[in-house]
Amino acid sequence: MSVPDVKIFPHATGLASKTVSEHQDKQDLIFYSGWFCPYVQRTWIVLEERGIPYQYVEVNPYKKEKHFLEINPKGLVPAVEWKGQALYESLILCEFLEDAFPSQTPHILPSDPIARGRVRIWVDFISKSVVPAFMRTVMAQEPAKQAESLQEFYSALRTLMAQVKGPYFAGEEFTLADVAIAPWIVRDYILRDNRGYDRSAVGGGWKEYAERIESRDSLKKTSSDKYTEIYGRYLRDEAMSEAAKAIRAGRPF
Ligand SMILES: N[C@@H](CCC(=O)N[C@@H](CS)C(=O)NCC(=O)O)C(=O)O
């Protein structure tokens, strides 16, 4: 019998725990987070990058507690509450943080409309191709399936990397495309240690790009050091999360 998903380690560790303790005061913006969640980290990175005041609230989304279902009926983190209204979905939240705090800088979407659209196209590619291939590789059990998924992951990364202008996706500025992939870069040691993934094998400057992303302050300040524990159940294909169910069913998530 698998360990229920509700029994996750309860709070952030490492540098993220300091960030959490600095954001306990009441603010107009309440950030419902799960320290372990890569989708949460996207939104958290934008909050930190743009210096937006927020109150951090830790939620265990697997418990599906009534008060949280009122914030997000899907019961997923991240979610926010602002001026008494709730919103959820990591990428929607990243864009909301641009729209609701227009005078806050830096921006995570380029001002040029074409460049903005191009960022959105590749954010979509990250969500539909890169992240599912990462998760399939984590969850694959037979060596042949693991190797096949890993190749799919490499292939998706190569396609993405071919679009990176450098030093960041859209050029000099760190944008939503970098934010969208960043949490899976921070967690790719799970694949390195368990599935033979090697950043250098991607080629095209991926290793250098990945190192550049993970060395940003906003990444460091939102990262914990216990992801291995979280991914254990995924590596054994025992996790019952909505993401795991979708991956098994071949559905996008
Ligand atoms: N598409 C959502 C995915 C969020 C998500 O999957 N969050 C996970 C934690 S990493 C969650 O809340 N899982 C609870 C569950 O599966 O019941 C987003 O981008 O915000």
Coordinates of all heavy atoms in Angstrom, one line a residue, residues 4-96:
P4 N 0.1 7.6 1.7 CA -0.8 8.6 1.2 C -0.1 10.0 0.9 O 0.8 10.3 1.7 CB -1.9 8.8 2.3 CG -1.7 7.7 3.3 CD -0.3 7.2 3.1
D5 N -0.6 10.6 -0.1 CA 0.1 11.9 -0.5 C -0.1 13.0 0.7 O 0.7 13.9 0.7 CB -0.6 12.5 -1.7 CG -0.2 11.7 -3.0 OD1 0.8 10.9 -2.9 OD2 -0.8 11.8 -4.0
V6 N -1.1 12.8 1.5 CA -1.3 13.8 2.6 C -0.1 13.9 3.6 O 0.0 14.9 4.3 CB -2.6 13.6 3.4 CG1 -3.8 13.9 2.5 CG2 -2.7 12.2 4.0
K7 N 0.7 12.8 3.6 CA 1.8 12.8 4.6 C 3.1 13.4 4.1 O 4.1 12.9 4.4 CB 2.0 11.3 5.0 CG 0.9 10.8 5.8 CD 1.3 9.5 6.5 CE 0.1 8.9 7.3 NZ 0.3 7.5 7.6
I8 N 3.0 14.5 3.5 CA 4.2 15.2 3.0 C 4.9 16.0 4.1 O 4.2 16.4 5.1 CB 3.9 16.1 1.8 CG1 2.7 17.1 2.1 CG2 3.7 15.4 0.5 CD1 2.6 18.2 1.1
F9 N 6.2 16.2 4.0 CA 6.9 17.0 4.9 C 6.2 18.4 5.0 O 5.8 18.9 4.0 CB 8.4 17.1 4.5 CG 9.2 17.8 5.5 CD1 9.7 17.1 6.6 CD2 9.6 19.1 5.4 CE1 10.5 17.7 7.5 CE2 10.4 19.7 6.3 CZ 10.8 19.0 7.4
P10 N 6.0 18.9 6.2 CA 5.0 20.0 6.3 C 5.5 21.4 6.0 O 4.7 22.3 5.8 CB 4.6 20.0 7.8 CG 5.7 19.3 8.5 CD 6.3 18.3 7.5
H11 N 6.8 21.7 5.9 CA 7.2 23.1 5.6 C 8.5 23.2 4.8 O 9.2 22.2 4.7 CB 7.3 23.8 6.9 CG 8.3 23.2 7.9 ND1 9.7 23.4 7.7 CD2 8.2 22.3 8.9 CE1 10.3 22.7 8.6 NE2 9.4 22.1 9.4
A12 N 8.7 24.4 4.3 CA 9.9 24.7 3.5 C 11.2 24.5 4.3 O 11.1 24.6 5.5 CB 9.8 26.1 3.0
T13 N 12.3 24.2 3.6 CA 13.6 24.1 4.3 C 14.6 24.9 3.5 O 14.2 25.5 2.5 CB 14.0 22.6 4.3 OG1 14.0 22.1 3.0 CG2 13.1 21.7 5.2
G14 N 15.8 24.9 3.9 CA 16.8 25.6 3.1 C 16.5 27.1 3.1 O 15.9 27.6 4.0
L15 N 17.0 27.7 2.0 CA 16.8 29.2 1.9 C 15.3 29.6 1.8 O 14.9 30.6 2.3 CB 17.5 29.7 0.6 CG 19.0 29.8 0.7 CD1 19.6 30.3 -0.6 CD2 19.5 30.6 1.9
A16 N 14.5 28.7 1.3 CA 13.0 29.0 1.2 C 12.4 29.2 2.6 O 11.5 30.0 2.7 CB 12.3 27.9 0.4
S17 N 12.9 28.5 3.6 CA 12.3 28.6 4.9 C 12.5 30.1 5.5 O 11.7 30.6 6.2 CB 12.9 27.6 5.9 OG 14.2 27.9 6.2
K18 N 13.7 30.7 5.1 CA 13.9 32.1 5.5 C 12.9 33.0 4.8 O 12.3 33.9 5.4 CB 15.4 32.4 5.2 CG 15.8 33.8 5.6 CD 17.3 34.0 5.5 CE 17.7 35.4 5.9 NZ 17.6 36.3 4.8
T19 N 12.7 32.7 3.6 CA 11.8 33.6 2.8 C 10.4 33.4 3.4 O 9.6 34.4 3.5 CB 11.8 33.1 1.3 OG1 13.1 33.1 0.9 CG2 11.0 34.1 0.4
V20 N 10.0 32.2 3.7 CA 8.7 32.0 4.3 C 8.5 32.8 5.6 O 7.5 33.5 5.8 CB 8.4 30.5 4.6 CG1 7.2 30.3 5.5 CG2 8.3 29.7 3.3
S21 N 9.6 32.8 6.5 CA 9.5 33.5 7.8 C 9.4 35.0 7.6 O 8.9 35.7 8.4 CB 10.6 33.0 8.7 OG 11.8 33.4 8.2
E22 N 10.0 35.5 6.5 CA 9.9 36.9 6.2 C 8.6 37.4 5.6 O 8.4 38.6 5.4 CB 11.1 37.3 5.2 CG 12.4 37.2 5.8 CD 13.6 37.3 4.8 OE1 13.3 37.3 3.5 OE2 14.7 37.3 5.2
H23 N 7.7 36.4 5.3 CA 6.4 36.8 4.7 C 5.2 36.3 5.5 O 4.3 35.7 4.9 CB 6.4 36.3 3.2 CG 7.3 37.1 2.4 ND1 8.6 36.8 2.2 CD2 7.1 38.2 1.6 CE1 9.2 37.7 1.4 NE2 8.3 38.6 1.0
Q24 N 5.3 36.4 6.8 CA 4.2 36.0 7.6 C 3.2 37.1 8.0 O 2.1 36.8 8.4 CB 4.8 35.4 9.0 CG 5.5 34.1 8.8 CD 4.7 33.0 8.1 OE1 3.6 32.7 8.6 NE2 5.1 32.5 7.0
D25 N 3.6 38.3 7.8 CA 2.7 39.5 8.2 C 1.5 39.6 7.2 O 1.7 39.2 6.0 CB 3.5 40.8 8.2 CG 4.5 40.8 9.3 OD1 4.5 39.9 10.1 OD2 5.4 41.7 9.2
K26 N 0.4 40.1 7.8 CA -0.8 40.3 6.9 C -0.5 41.2 5.8 O 0.2 42.3 5.9 CB -1.8 40.9 7.8 CG -3.1 40.1 7.9 CD -4.1 40.8 8.8 CE -5.5 40.4 8.6 NZ -5.9 39.3 7.8
Q27 N -0.9 40.9 4.6 CA -0.8 41.7 3.4 C -2.1 41.6 2.6 O -2.9 40.7 2.8 CB 0.4 41.2 2.5 CG 1.7 41.3 3.1 CD 2.3 42.7 3.3 OE1 1.7 43.6 2.8 NE2 3.3 42.8 4.1
D28 N -2.2 42.5 1.6 CA -3.4 42.5 0.8 C -3.4 41.2 -0.1 O -4.5 40.7 -0.4 CB -3.4 43.7 -0.2 CG -3.8 45.0 0.5 OD1 -4.3 44.9 1.6 OD2 -3.6 46.1 -0.1
L29 N -2.2 40.7 -0.4 CA -2.1 39.6 -1.2 C -1.7 38.3 -0.4 O -0.7 38.3 0.3 CB -1.1 39.8 -2.3 CG -1.0 38.6 -3.3 CD1 -2.0 38.9 -4.5 CD2 0.4 38.5 -3.9
I30 N -2.6 37.3 -0.3 CA -2.3 36.1 0.4 C -1.9 35.1 -0.6 O -2.6 34.8 -1.6 CB -3.5 35.6 1.2 CG1 -4.0 36.7 2.1 CG2 -3.1 34.4 2.0 CD1 -5.3 36.4 2.9
F31 N -0.8 34.5 -0.4 CA -0.2 33.5 -1.3 C -0.4 32.1 -0.7 O 0.3 31.8 0.3 CB 1.3 33.8 -1.6 CG 2.0 32.8 -2.4 CD1 1.5 32.3 -3.6 CD2 3.3 32.5 -2.1 CE1 2.2 31.4 -4.4 CE2 4.1 31.6 -2.8 CZ 3.5 31.0 -4.0
Y32 N -1.3 31.3 -1.3 CA -1.5 29.9 -0.8 C -0.5 29.0 -1.5 O -0.6 28.8 -2.7 CB -2.9 29.5 -1.0 CG -3.9 30.3 -0.1 CD1 -4.5 31.4 -0.7 CD2 -4.1 29.9 1.2 CE1 -5.4 32.1 0.1 CE2 -5.0 30.7 2.0 CZ -5.6 31.8 1.4 OH -6.5 32.5 2.2
S33 N 0.4 28.5 -0.7 CA 1.6 27.8 -1.3 C 1.7 26.4 -0.8 O 1.1 26.0 0.3 CB 2.8 28.6 -0.9 OG 4.0 27.9 -1.3
G34 N 2.5 25.6 -1.5 CA 2.9 24.3 -1.0 C 4.4 24.4 -1.3 O 4.8 24.5 -2.4
W35 N 5.3 24.3 -0.2 CA 6.7 24.6 -0.4 C 7.3 23.7 -1.5 O 8.3 24.0 -2.1 CB 7.4 24.3 0.9 CG 7.4 22.9 1.4 CD1 6.5 22.3 2.2 CD2 8.3 21.9 1.0 NE1 6.7 21.0 2.4 CE2 7.8 20.7 1.7 CE3 9.5 21.8 0.2 CZ2 8.5 19.4 1.5 CZ3 10.1 20.6 0.1 CH2 9.6 19.4 0.7
F36 N 6.8 22.5 -1.6 CA 7.4 21.4 -2.5 C 7.0 21.5 -3.9 O 7.6 20.9 -4.8 CB 6.9 20.1 -2.0 CG 5.4 20.0 -2.0 CD1 4.8 19.5 -3.1 CD2 4.6 20.4 -0.9 CE1 3.4 19.5 -3.2 CE2 3.2 20.4 -1.0 CZ 2.6 19.9 -2.2
C37 N 6.0 22.4 -4.2 CA 5.3 22.3 -5.5 C 6.0 23.1 -6.6 O 6.2 24.3 -6.5 CB 3.9 22.8 -5.4 SG 3.0 22.9 -6.9
P38 N 6.4 22.5 -7.8 CA 7.0 23.3 -8.8 C 6.1 24.4 -9.4 O 6.6 25.4 -9.9 CB 7.4 22.3 -9.9 CG 6.5 21.1 -9.6 CD 6.2 21.1 -8.1
Y39 N 4.8 24.1 -9.5 CA 3.9 25.1 -10.0 C 3.8 26.3 -9.1 O 3.8 27.5 -9.5 CB 2.5 24.5 -10.2 CG 2.5 23.3 -11.1 CD1 2.5 22.0 -10.6 CD2 2.4 23.4 -12.5 CE1 2.6 20.9 -11.4 CE2 2.5 22.3 -13.3 CZ 2.5 21.1 -12.8 OH 2.5 20.0 -13.6
V40 N 3.8 26.0 -7.8 CA 3.9 27.1 -6.8 C 5.1 27.9 -7.0 O 5.1 29.2 -7.0 CB 3.9 26.5 -5.3 CG1 4.5 27.5 -4.3 CG2 2.5 26.1 -4.9
Q41 N 6.2 27.2 -7.2 CA 7.5 28.0 -7.3 C 7.5 29.0 -8.5 O 8.1 30.1 -8.4 CB 8.7 27.0 -7.5 CG 10.0 27.7 -7.2 CD 11.2 26.8 -7.1 OE1 11.1 25.7 -7.5 NE2 12.3 27.4 -6.7
R42 N 6.7 28.7 -9.6 CA 6.6 29.6 -10.7 C 6.1 31.0 -10.1 O 6.6 32.1 -10.4 CB 5.6 29.1 -11.7 CG 6.1 28.0 -12.6 CD 5.0 27.5 -13.4 NE 5.4 26.8 -14.6 CZ 4.6 26.1 -15.3 NH1 3.3 26.0 -15.1 NH2 5.0 25.4 -16.4
T43 N 5.0 30.9 -9.4 CA 4.3 32.1 -8.9 C 5.2 32.8 -7.8 O 5.3 34.0 -7.8 CB 2.9 31.7 -8.3 OG1 2.2 31.0 -9.3 CG2 2.1 32.9 -7.9
W44 N 5.8 32.0 -7.0 CA 6.7 32.5 -6.0 C 7.9 33.2 -6.5 O 8.2 34.3 -6.1 CB 7.1 31.3 -5.1 CG 7.5 31.6 -3.7 CD1 7.6 32.8 -3.1 CD2 8.0 30.7 -2.7 NE1 8.0 32.7 -1.8 CE2 8.3 31.4 -1.5 CE3 8.1 29.3 -2.7 CZ2 8.7 30.8 -0.4 CZ3 8.6 28.7 -1.5 CH2 8.9 29.4 -0.4
I45 N 8.4 32.7 -7.6 CA 9.5 33.4 -8.3 C 9.1 34.8 -8.8 O 9.8 35.8 -8.6 CB 10.0 32.6 -9.5 CG1 10.7 31.3 -9.1 CG2 10.9 33.4 -10.4 CD1 11.0 30.3 -10.2
V46 N 7.9 34.9 -9.3 CA 7.4 36.2 -9.8 C 7.2 37.2 -8.7 O 7.6 38.3 -8.7 CB 6.2 36.0 -10.7 CG1 5.6 37.4 -11.1 CG2 6.5 35.2 -11.9
L47 N 6.7 36.7 -7.6 CA 6.5 37.5 -6.4 C 7.8 38.1 -5.9 O 7.9 39.3 -5.6 CB 5.8 36.7 -5.2 CG 4.3 36.4 -5.4 CD1 3.9 35.3 -4.4 CD2 3.5 37.7 -5.2
E48 N 8.8 37.2 -5.9 CA 10.1 37.6 -5.4 C 10.8 38.5 -6.4 O 11.4 39.5 -6.1 CB 11.0 36.4 -5.1 CG 10.6 35.7 -3.8 CD 10.9 36.6 -2.6 OE1 11.9 37.3 -2.6 OE2 10.1 36.5 -1.6
E49 N 10.8 38.1 -7.7 CA 11.4 38.9 -8.8 C 10.9 40.4 -8.8 O 11.7 41.3 -8.9 CB 11.2 38.3 -10.1 CG 12.0 37.1 -10.5 CD 13.4 37.4 -10.9 OE1 13.7 38.5 -11.3 OE2 14.3 36.4 -10.8
R50 N 9.6 40.5 -8.6 CA 8.9 41.8 -8.7 C 8.8 42.6 -7.4 O 8.2 43.7 -7.4 CB 7.6 41.6 -9.5 CG 7.8 40.9 -10.8 CD 6.6 41.1 -11.7 NE 6.5 42.4 -12.1 CZ 5.4 43.2 -12.1 NH1 4.3 42.6 -11.6 NH2 5.4 44.4 -12.5
G51 N 9.2 41.9 -6.3 CA 9.2 42.6 -5.0 C 7.8 42.9 -4.6 O 7.5 44.0 -4.0
I52 N 6.8 42.1 -4.9 CA 5.4 42.3 -4.5 C 5.2 41.9 -3.0 O 5.6 40.7 -2.7 CB 4.5 41.6 -5.5 CG1 4.6 42.1 -6.9 CG2 3.0 41.6 -5.0 CD1 4.0 41.3 -8.0
P53 N 4.6 42.7 -2.2 CA 4.3 42.3 -0.8 C 3.3 41.2 -0.8 O 2.3 41.3 -1.4 CB 3.8 43.6 -0.1 CG 4.1 44.7 -1.1 CD 4.1 44.1 -2.5
Y54 N 3.6 40.1 0.0 CA 2.6 39.0 0.1 C 2.8 38.3 1.4 O 3.8 38.4 2.1 CB 2.9 38.0 -1.1 CG 4.2 37.3 -1.0 CD1 4.4 36.0 -0.3 CD2 5.4 37.8 -1.5 CE1 5.6 35.4 -0.3 CE2 6.6 37.2 -1.5 CZ 6.7 36.0 -0.9 OH 7.9 35.3 -0.8
Q55 N 1.6 37.7 1.8 CA 1.6 36.9 3.0 C 1.6 35.4 2.6 O 0.8 35.0 1.9 CB 0.3 37.2 3.8 CG 0.2 36.4 5.1 CD -1.1 36.6 5.8 OE1 -1.9 37.4 5.3 NE2 -1.3 35.9 6.9
Y56 N 2.6 34.7 3.1 CA 2.8 33.3 2.7 C 2.0 32.4 3.6 O 2.1 32.5 4.9 CB 4.3 32.9 2.9 CG 4.6 31.5 2.4 CD1 5.2 31.2 1.2 CD2 4.3 30.4 3.3 CE1 5.5 29.9 0.8 CE2 4.6 29.1 2.9 CZ 5.2 28.9 1.6 OH 5.5 27.6 1.3
V57 N 1.1 31.6 3.0 CA 0.3 30.6 3.8 C 0.6 29.2 3.3 O 0.3 29.0 2.1 CB -1.2 30.9 3.8 CG1 -2.0 29.9 4.4 CG2 -1.5 32.3 4.4
E58 N 1.1 28.3 4.1 CA 1.4 27.0 3.7 C 0.1 26.1 3.7 O -0.7 26.2 4.7 CB 2.4 26.3 4.7 CG 2.9 25.0 4.3 CD 3.8 25.0 3.1 OE1 4.7 25.9 3.0 OE2 3.7 24.1 2.2
V59 N -0.1 25.4 2.6 CA -1.3 24.5 2.5 C -0.9 23.1 2.1 O 0.0 23.0 1.3 CB -2.3 25.1 1.4 CG1 -3.4 24.1 1.1 CG2 -2.8 26.5 1.7
N60 N -1.5 22.1 2.7 CA -1.3 20.8 2.2 C -2.4 20.5 1.2 O -3.5 20.2 1.7 CB -1.2 19.8 3.3 CG -1.0 18.4 2.8 OD1 -1.3 18.0 1.7 ND2 -0.4 17.5 3.6
P61 N -2.2 20.6 -0.1 CA -3.4 20.5 -1.0 C -4.0 19.1 -1.1 O -5.1 19.0 -1.5 CB -2.8 20.9 -2.3 CG -1.3 20.5 -2.2 CD -1.0 20.7 -0.8
Y62 N -3.2 18.1 -0.6 CA -3.8 16.7 -0.7 C -4.8 16.5 0.4 O -5.6 15.6 0.3 CB -2.6 15.7 -0.5 CG -1.6 16.0 -1.5 CD1 -0.3 16.5 -1.2 CD2 -1.8 15.7 -2.9 CE1 0.6 16.8 -2.2 CE2 -0.9 15.9 -3.9 CZ 0.3 16.5 -3.5 OH 1.3 16.7 -4.5
K63 N -4.9 17.4 1.4 CA -5.9 17.2 2.4 C -7.3 17.7 2.0 O -8.3 17.3 2.6 CB -5.5 18.0 3.7 CG -4.4 17.3 4.4 CD -4.2 18.0 5.8 CE -3.0 17.4 6.5 NZ -2.6 18.2 7.6
K64 N -7.3 18.5 0.9 CA -8.6 19.0 0.4 C -9.5 19.6 1.5 O -10.7 19.3 1.6 CB -9.4 17.9 -0.4 CG -8.6 17.2 -1.5 CD -8.3 18.2 -2.7 CE -7.3 17.5 -3.7 NZ -6.5 18.5 -4.4
E65 N -8.9 20.5 2.3 CA -9.7 21.1 3.4 C -10.7 22.1 2.8 O -10.4 22.8 1.9 CB -8.7 21.7 4.4 CG -8.0 20.6 5.2 CD -6.8 21.1 6.0 OE1 -6.1 22.0 5.6 OE2 -6.7 20.6 7.2
K66 N -11.8 22.2 3.5 CA -12.9 23.0 3.1 C -12.5 24.4 2.8 O -12.9 25.0 1.8 CB -14.1 22.9 4.1 CG -15.4 23.5 3.6 CD -16.5 23.2 4.6 CE -17.7 24.0 4.3 NZ -17.6 25.4 4.6
H67 N -11.8 25.0 3.8 CA -11.4 26.4 3.6 C -10.6 26.7 2.3 O -10.8 27.7 1.7 CB -10.7 27.0 4.9 CG -9.3 26.6 4.9 ND1 -8.3 27.4 4.4 CD2 -8.6 25.5 5.3 CE1 -7.1 26.8 4.5 NE2 -7.3 25.6 5.0
F68 N -9.8 25.7 2.0 CA -9.0 25.9 0.8 C -9.8 25.6 -0.5 O -9.6 26.3 -1.5 CB -7.7 25.0 0.8 CG -6.8 25.3 -0.3 CD1 -6.3 26.6 -0.6 CD2 -6.5 24.3 -1.2 CE1 -5.5 26.9 -1.6 CE2 -5.6 24.6 -2.3 CZ -5.1 25.8 -2.5
L69 N -10.7 24.7 -0.4 CA -11.6 24.4 -1.6 C -12.4 25.6 -1.9 O -12.8 25.8 -3.1 CB -12.4 23.2 -1.4 CG -11.7 21.9 -1.4 CD1 -12.6 20.7 -1.0 CD2 -11.0 21.6 -2.7
E70 N -12.6 26.5 -0.9 CA -13.4 27.7 -1.2 C -12.5 28.7 -1.9 O -13.0 29.6 -2.7 CB -13.9 28.3 0.1 CG -15.2 27.6 0.6 CD -15.4 27.9 2.1 OE1 -14.8 28.8 2.7 OE2 -16.3 27.1 2.6
I71 N -11.2 28.6 -1.8 CA -10.2 29.5 -2.5 C -10.0 28.9 -3.9 O -10.1 29.6 -4.9 CB -8.9 29.5 -1.8 CG1 -9.0 30.0 -0.3 CG2 -7.8 30.4 -2.5 CD1 -9.4 31.4 -0.1
N72 N -9.7 27.6 -4.0 CA -9.5 27.0 -5.3 C -10.4 25.7 -5.3 O -10.0 24.7 -4.7 CB -8.1 26.6 -5.5 CG -7.9 26.0 -6.9 OD1 -8.8 25.7 -7.6 ND2 -6.6 25.7 -7.2
P73 N -11.5 25.7 -6.0 CA -12.4 24.5 -6.0 C -11.6 23.2 -6.6 O -12.0 22.1 -6.3 CB -13.5 24.9 -7.0 CG -13.4 26.4 -7.2 CD -12.0 26.8 -6.8
K74 N -10.5 23.4 -7.3 CA -9.7 22.3 -7.8 C -8.9 21.7 -6.6 O -8.3 20.6 -6.8 CB -8.8 22.7 -8.9 CG -9.5 23.1 -10.2 CD -8.4 23.4 -11.2 CE -8.9 23.7 -12.6 NZ -7.8 24.0 -13.5
G75 N -8.7 22.5 -5.6 CA -7.9 22.0 -4.4 C -6.4 22.0 -4.7 O -5.7 21.2 -4.1
L76 N -6.0 22.8 -5.7 CA -4.5 22.7 -6.0 C -3.8 24.0 -5.6 O -4.4 25.1 -5.7 CB -4.4 22.6 -7.6 CG -5.1 21.4 -8.3 CD1 -4.9 21.5 -9.8 CD2 -4.5 20.1 -7.8
V77 N -2.6 23.9 -5.2 CA -1.8 25.1 -5.0 C -0.9 25.3 -6.3 O -0.7 24.3 -7.0 CB -0.8 24.9 -3.8 CG1 -1.6 25.1 -2.5 CG2 0.0 23.6 -3.8
P78 N -0.6 26.5 -6.6 CA -0.8 27.7 -5.9 C -2.1 28.3 -6.1 O -2.8 28.0 -7.1 CB 0.3 28.6 -6.6 CG 0.3 28.2 -8.0 CD 0.2 26.7 -7.9
A79 N -2.5 29.3 -5.2 CA -3.7 30.1 -5.3 C -3.4 31.4 -4.6 O -2.5 31.5 -3.8 CB -4.9 29.4 -4.7
V80 N -4.1 32.4 -4.9 CA -3.9 33.7 -4.2 C -5.3 34.3 -3.8 O -6.3 33.9 -4.5 CB -3.1 34.8 -5.0 CG1 -1.8 34.3 -5.4 CG2 -3.9 35.4 -6.1
E81 N -5.3 35.1 -2.8 CA -6.5 35.9 -2.5 C -6.1 37.3 -2.5 O -5.0 37.7 -1.9 CB -7.0 35.4 -1.1 CG -8.5 35.5 -0.9 CD -8.9 35.0 0.4 OE1 -8.1 34.3 1.1 OE2 -10.0 35.4 0.8
W82 N -6.8 38.2 -3.1 CA -6.5 39.6 -3.2 C -7.7 40.4 -3.2 O -8.7 40.1 -4.0 CB -5.7 39.8 -4.6 CG -5.2 41.2 -4.7 CD1 -4.3 41.8 -3.9 CD2 -5.4 42.1 -5.8 NE1 -4.0 43.1 -4.4 CE2 -4.7 43.3 -5.6 CE3 -6.2 42.0 -6.9 CZ2 -4.7 44.4 -6.4 CZ3 -6.3 43.1 -7.8 CH2 -5.5 44.3 -7.6
K83 N -7.8 41.3 -2.3 CA -9.0 42.2 -2.1 C -10.3 41.3 -2.0 O -11.3 41.5 -2.7 CB -9.1 43.2 -3.2 CG -7.9 44.1 -3.3 CD -8.1 45.2 -4.4 CE -7.0 46.1 -4.4 NZ -7.0 47.1 -5.5
G84 N -10.1 40.2 -1.3 CA -11.3 39.3 -1.0 C -11.7 38.4 -2.2 O -12.7 37.7 -2.1
Q85 N -10.9 38.4 -3.2 CA -11.2 37.5 -4.4 C -10.1 36.5 -4.6 O -8.9 36.9 -4.4 CB -11.4 38.3 -5.6 CG -12.5 39.3 -5.4 CD -13.1 39.8 -6.8 OE1 -13.7 39.1 -7.5 NE2 -12.7 41.0 -7.1
A86 N -10.4 35.3 -5.1 CA -9.4 34.3 -5.2 C -9.1 34.0 -6.7 O -10.0 34.2 -7.6 CB -10.0 33.0 -4.5
L87 N -7.9 33.5 -6.9 CA -7.5 33.1 -8.3 C -6.5 32.0 -8.1 O -5.8 31.9 -7.1 CB -6.8 34.3 -8.9 CG -6.9 34.6 -10.4 CD1 -8.3 34.6 -10.9 CD2 -6.1 35.9 -10.7
Y88 N -6.4 31.2 -9.1 CA -5.4 30.0 -9.1 C -4.9 29.7 -10.5 O -5.3 30.4 -11.4 CB -6.1 28.8 -8.5 CG -7.5 28.5 -9.0 CD1 -7.7 27.8 -10.1 CD2 -8.6 29.1 -8.3 CE1 -9.0 27.5 -10.6 CE2 -9.9 28.9 -8.8 CZ -10.1 28.1 -9.9 OH -11.4 27.9 -10.4
E89 N -4.1 28.7 -10.6 CA -3.4 28.2 -11.8 C -2.1 29.1 -11.9 O -2.1 30.3 -12.2 CB -4.2 28.4 -13.1 CG -5.2 27.2 -13.3 CD -4.5 25.9 -13.5 OE1 -3.4 25.8 -14.1 OE2 -5.0 24.9 -12.9
S90 N -1.0 28.4 -11.8 CA 0.3 29.1 -11.7 C 0.6 30.1 -12.8 O 1.0 31.2 -12.5 CB 1.5 28.0 -11.7 OG 1.4 27.2 -12.9
L91 N 0.3 29.8 -14.0 CA 0.7 30.7 -15.1 C -0.3 31.9 -15.1 O 0.1 33.0 -15.5 CB 0.8 30.0 -16.4 CG 1.9 28.9 -16.5 CD1 1.7 28.1 -17.8 CD2 3.3 29.6 -16.5
I92 N -1.5 31.6 -14.8 CA -2.5 32.7 -14.7 C -2.1 33.6 -13.6 O -2.2 34.9 -13.8 CB -3.9 32.1 -14.4 CG1 -4.3 31.0 -15.4 CG2 -5.0 33.2 -14.3 CD1 -4.9 31.4 -16.7
L93 N -1.6 33.1 -12.5 CA -1.2 33.9 -11.4 C 0.0 34.8 -11.8 O 0.1 35.9 -11.4 CB -0.9 33.0 -10.2 CG -2.1 32.3 -9.6 CD1 -1.7 31.5 -8.4 CD2 -3.2 33.3 -9.1
C94 N 0.9 34.2 -12.5 CA 2.1 35.0 -12.9 C 1.7 36.2 -13.7 O 2.2 37.3 -13.5 CB 3.1 34.1 -13.7 SG 3.9 32.8 -12.8
E95 N 0.7 36.0 -14.6 CA 0.3 37.1 -15.5 C -0.6 38.1 -14.6 O -0.5 39.3 -14.8 CB -0.5 36.6 -16.7 CG 0.4 35.8 -17.6 CD 0.0 36.0 -19.1 OE1 -0.7 37.0 -19.4 OE2 0.4 35.2 -19.9
F96 N -1.3 37.5 -13.7 CA -2.1 38.4 -12.8 C -1.2 39.3 -12.0 O -1.5 40.5 -11.8 CB -2.9 37.5 -11.8 CG -3.3 38.2 -10.5 CD1 -4.4 39.1 -10.5 CD2 -2.6 38.0 -9.4 CE1 -4.7 39.8 -9.4 CE2 -3.0 38.7 -8.2 CZ -4.0 39.6 -8.2

